[in-house]
Amino acid sequence: MSIRPLLKLGNPLLRRKAENVDLSSLHDPDMQQLIDDMIETMHAAHGAGLAAPQVGVNLRLAVAEVRDNPRYPGLGSLPLSVWVNPVRTILSDRIVVEMYEGCLSVPGLRGLVRRPGHVRLSAVDRFGEPFEQDFDGPLAAVVGHELDHLDGVLFVDHADSKTLTFLDEYDQFPENEKRIRVYWP
Ligand code: NI
């Protein structure tokens, strides 16, 4: 396993629409190596998720893992997950999550993003098994953030620019209850 270099905001490779993974390639050791490297890179950078375009690979593939984190009170937890060719369906347009997001490709910055708060993820796991999983609240935002990467979209595209904040300031200023808010109908 190895840690791969992360592409940063401004690199045009982050702005491409990624290609579907050919599922037969999951048998390829190089593809499994890529997945392992993405997991190791995400862990080393203390990220909640990482999409293949962030390591310069133009494929519809992302990894995610969320543990209880004092910086994100109320985020919830998600076991280590590998999403191949993920598709998101919005289950409710009335449940909305507002959360200060960050991104390993936009280091040091946070900004408030509003996203659908109840979604279904349909994807294939790293062994080629299809699955579906429903998410609500902040984890629905994590799904939205990672899938956006596969379409060349970054959180700063959605963030209210007046809420952009550097990490030191984020640690000081937004009140806890404003960091993550879920609006239920
Ligand atoms: Ni990101």
Side-chain angles (χ1 to χ4, degrees), residues 49 54 102-105 145-146 149:
Q54 294 179 273
C103 181
L104 298 178
S105 293
H145 179 116
E146 295 310 322
H149 276 298

